[in-house]
Amino acid sequence: MANHAAKSNNPDQRIAIVTGASRGIGAEIARCLGRQGRHVVCVARDLAKLEAVCATIESAGGSAQVQTCDVSDHMELAATIEAIADQFKRLDILVNN
């Protein structure tokens, strides 16, 4: 589980977790949330693809970070959610894709 943390610069910014964010609908939802001003935690297994999605969000002026996780592994998923909760102390949006 890799966490490339990029703490949200704005304490009022909503925090969104998007699973399956490395491609397809998940990636597009992550980009859309980034355009809407949310800090997006992009979650999936493929680090390189997640980094590409986050780079797209950031190049458009958004805020995002990578969190690798295999959501089919319940222990890994629990650890991932706990790490994100510890970092931000809250979660405003959850997209389970």
Side-chain angles (χ1 to χ4, degrees), residues 2-80:
N3 177 3
H4 298 264
K7 187 104 173 163
S8 171
N9 294 328
N10 179 352
D12 297 324
Q13 187 175 35
R14 292 189 175 264
I15 307 301
I17 296 175
V18 180
T19 64
S22 63
R23 61 189 177 96
I25 292 171
E28 188 54 38
I29 290 170
R31 288 189 288 267
C32 181
L33 289 167
R35 285 190 302 271
Q36 293 175 358
R38 298 350 182 221
H39 177 76
V40 185
V41 182
C42 296
V43 179
R45 294 174 297 194
D46 190 315
L47 178 60
K49 288 180 181 177
L50 284 173
E51 288 174 338
V53 171
C54 286
T56 301
I57 293 167
E58 291 170 347
S59 70
S63 173
Q65 74 185 61
V66 169
Q67 180 72 51
T68 58
C69 175
D70 179 351
V71 298
S72 69
D73 179 332
H74 298 285
M75 298 294 284
E76 187 175 352
L77 178 59
T80 296

